[in-house]
Amino acid sequence: MAIEASALDERGTTPEQATEMLQKLLHAFENDKGKLAVALGRDEEEVGHALSGNSEAFDDDLVMKIRGLAQQRGVDLE
């Protein structure tokens, strides 16, 4: 399977999928962008941009952290 040029990781995650994943994860942090930002090791402004669908806010490291936190918190990203 070929990975799209817009894919953020080896799984072929698109920026749109990453935004959806981040929005689901936000619920596990009481919808508090600040708490989520701390957990992701990013600043709140960057997390806000990502939540609003700004594809430039994502990189493979952020997607990996989203998946890891979701697993820790029992959040189904699919």
Side-chain angles (χ1 to χ4, degrees), residues 19 22-53 62 66 69 73:
T19 299
L22 189 59
Q23 289 169 345
K24 288 178 182 179
L25 185 58
L26 180 61
H27 296 298
F29 286 87
E30 303 166 347
N31 291 318
D32 186 323
K33 285 188 272 187
K35 289 180 182 179
L36 179 57
V38 168
L40 290 169
R42 305 290 175 115
D43 63 47
E44 190 172 347
E45 183 178 350
E46 184 177 355
V47 170
H49 287 301
L51 285 165
S52 69
L62 180 57
I66 291 169
L69 281 172
R73 297 277 179 138

Side-chain angles (χ1 to χ4, degrees), residues 47-60:
V47 170
H49 287 301
L51 285 165
S52 69
N54 181 345
S55 63
E56 293 177 7
F58 289 100
D59 55 34
D60 61 341

